[in-house]
Amino acid sequence: MGEIPEILWSHPQLVAAVTSEDWGAVFRTYRKLTGLSQTKLGERVGLAQSDVSDIERGRRQVTSVEVRQRIVSGLDLPPDPQATAARLTADTAPVTGVAVPGAVPDEDLLARVTSVVDMSHRVDAATLDWLDRLLAEHRRAEDFTGSRPLIDVMRRQLRTVVDLYAGARGRLADRVIRLASEHAQFLAWMAQDQAQTAAALAWYDRSHEWALEAGDANMAATTLSMKAHMAWSGGRGARCVRLAEAARWSAPGTSLGVQGMAVQMAARGHALQGEASDAHRLFDEAQRLISRASERPEDEPVWMYFYDETWFTLQRGMAALHLRDWREAAEHITAGLDALPDEYRRDKTWYRACLAHALAGAGELAQAVSVAVATVPDAAALGRPHSWNELHTTASLLMRRDAKEGRRLVIALREHD
């Protein structure tokens, strides 16, 4: 079956799931971290794939002591996951410039991926496996820290990946190109997050080109969806719709989740233009795709880890915000925020700013100010222009509705400017 890496037990979501004996969450998180299919995980724990699927989806509960013991033995669960996580986090030294606990490989591998690559040395699968894992950890770190601390790190890491290409042969060369495409897409997202529009567009274009070269339909479509997101962020609804449609139809063979992302982006573009019927129709279609995708999460690319019902609820809230259905927007965003884990600090900050906007639009002025003021410190700390701008938009709306309430938010913004 292969050795199970102990470092898995430094991951907080997995530790929390094991500690609470939420076996569905254990299975989902374990597979996300290891890349195992439901069938392969079933082989480890002595369950059929259909049983693994039912447990993940909450259709079956683990009540048998014998089944529980098979899971504990098959996944090599530590007796005290929290103590193990604390030890691993304390014992692992971060890579230079990379503050990601538990991401350190053996010394030889570490030296090869953090220094100038010797082009006479052949690239091997172990190097690329580690870079895959490191990119996944960086994505999750950015969910909490925001993009600002990671941009320079990721630029250096992409240079390392590109340098590897000269020493790669055959299938390894294809993997290097795919990995470069994923790095470029992440860099584009971070540039977009920091309102560096020209850099983001350039990185998305480069990512798309590399994805096509690698034959990666999912990444090719994702880059177009993210360019649609950029158009949406800039208030260009028609361009958002066109790019989203291109994401869906120009790359055949994409996963259901990637298709769902493209459809909901088109829905957001229509909402931005005030086209409610088209927006609602496409959101319904996207939700059907999400539901089908959730039945086979192993078919989704690794960067789609965030795409679930919680995220979709938040997107419906954003559409309602565009359509000025303030109370519906507040209800959806509140429900999404309640379900969004704390490690998504960056997204929580953005959606709280949007919630304040929706509450102000609905006339709930005191509540809007309370939410907005509480959001200001995180928005300032993360250095995310979009959240900051949304808070200023809310302040302007409040000033029109009630100058006293508006001034409270303006003062809070000035204190952190």
Side-chain angles (χ1 to χ4, degrees):
M1 289 185 183
E3 184 178 354
I4 301 170
E6 186 187 34
I7 202 64
L8 285 177
W9 307 110
S10 68
H11 196 285
Q13 282 183 310
L14 189 57
V15 171
V18 172
T19 302
S20 62
E21 296 201 7
D22 183 348
W23 301 112
V26 170
F27 283 4
R28 290 192 302 272
T29 307
Y30 189 92
R31 291 198 311 103
K32 182 187 295 183
L33 294 173
T34 62
L36 286 178
S37 66
Q38 289 181 341
T39 299
K40 290 295 184 183
L41 186 141
E43 290 174 1
R44 288 186 185 271
V45 299
L47 291 171
Q49 179 274 327
S50 58
D51 293 328
V52 173
S53 177
D54 285 346
I55 291 170
E56 285 193 357
R57 301 176 67 188
R59 292 179 174 177
R60 174 180 171 181
Q61 300 299 314
V62 177
T63 57
S64 164
V65 174
E66 188 265 336
V67 171
R68 182 189 182 281
Q69 187 55 46
R70 290 210 307 265
I71 295 172
V72 170
S73 299
L75 300 187
D76 197 19
L77 304 187
D80 187 342
Q82 292 179 329
T84 301
R87 174 176 60 79
L88 290 169
T89 302
D91 290 348
T92 53
V95 179
T96 302
V98 182
V100 182
V104 180
D106 61 83
E107 291 184 8
D108 173 67
L109 188 56
L110 175 60
R112 284 161 51 197
V113 299
T114 57
S115 61
V116 177
V117 177
D118 178 2
M119 293 309 177
S120 65
H121 186 88
R122 273 199 154 189
V123 179
D124 57 40
T127 302
L128 301 183
D129 287 344
W130 185 73
L131 285 166
D132 270 329
R133 295 197 301 273
L134 189 57
L135 176 58
E137 290 296 335
H138 279 135
R139 290 186 187 278
R140 286 160 177 77
E142 195 264 344
D143 287 331
F144 185 81
T145 67
S147 57
R148 189 166 53 182
L150 288 171
I151 288 180
D152 288 340
V153 172
M154 294 311 300
R155 285 186 184 129
R156 291 195 298 271
Q157 194 165 308
L158 175 59
R159 283 198 296 270
T160 297
V161 173
V162 172
D163 286 345
L164 289 173
Y165 182 68
R169 300 291 183 272
R171 291 183 178 179
L172 289 180
D174 292 338
R175 280 195 62 187
V176 171
I177 297 170
R178 175 191 58 76
L179 192 57
S181 176
E182 292 185 23
H183 277 73
Q185 183 268 336
F186 187 38
L187 275 168
W189 160 252
M190 291 193 291
Q192 177 183 343
D193 186 56
Q194 291 298 311
Q196 299 169 3
T197 304
L201 285 171
W203 281 121
Y204 279 134
D205 286 343
R206 179 58 61 88
S207 176
H208 186 76
E209 178 184 342
W210 277 332
L212 293 176
E213 185 177 351
D216 190 339
N218 283 323
M219 180 52 75
T222 296
T223 56
L224 291 172
S225 284
M226 296 311 295
K227 288 179 75 172
H229 182 271
M230 283 192 68
W232 169 82
S233 296
R236 303 174 66 184
R239 177 173 169 79
C240 175
V241 172
R242 288 196 299 271
L243 285 166
E245 289 174 345
R248 187 173 188 191
W249 304 118
S250 67
T254 54
S255 72
L256 291 170
V258 170
Q259 292 174 40
M261 175 189 279
V263 174
Q264 66 82 25
M265 277 309 317
R268 288 162 71 177
H270 283 296
L272 193 59
Q273 298 183 101
E275 298 161 354
S277 60
D278 285 333
H280 291 312
R281 172 179 57 81
L282 288 170
F283 269 120
D284 289 343
E285 182 180 353
Q287 190 153 20
R288 289 192 293 271
L289 287 165
I290 290 174
S291 179
R292 291 172 59 197
S294 68
E295 296 174 3
R296 295 188 60 85
E298 67 272 18
D299 291 342
E300 298 302 319
V302 292
W303 61 84
M304 294 291 290
Y305 64 93
F306 66 91
Y307 191 76
D308 57 17
E309 288 290 346
T310 296
W311 185 81
F312 188 77
T313 298
L314 290 164
Q315 299 315 307
R316 280 198 182 271
M318 293 303 301
L321 192 65
H322 293 319
L323 295 168
R324 297 180 178 273
D325 191 339
W326 306 114
R327 295 196 180 280
E328 182 179 342
E331 288 173 6
H332 281 302
I333 296 173
T334 299
L337 280 169
D338 287 345
L340 195 65
D342 288 340
E343 56 261 34
Y344 289 90
R345 180 190 179 201
R346 180 205 63 214
D347 287 346
K348 278 203 161 187
T349 301
W350 161 246
Y351 288 114
R352 283 173 180 149
C354 294
L355 175 60
H357 186 175
L359 290 168
E364 303 291 343
L365 305 185
Q367 191 178 354
V369 172
S370 176
V371 171
V373 169
T375 305
V376 167
D378 274 343
L382 289 170
R384 193 171 190 225
H386 302 295
S387 300
W388 199 249
N389 291 343
E390 189 71 10
L391 288 169
H392 277 280
T393 298
T394 302
S396 297
L397 178 57
L398 285 167
M399 289 293 288
R400 294 196 299 271
R401 297 287 182 91
D402 186 318
K404 180 181 177 181
E405 296 288 8
R407 279 194 295 272
R408 285 179 57 198
L409 178 52
V410 169
I411 291 170
L413 289 166
R414 285 176 178 170
E415 287 175 349
H416 289 80
D417 204 346

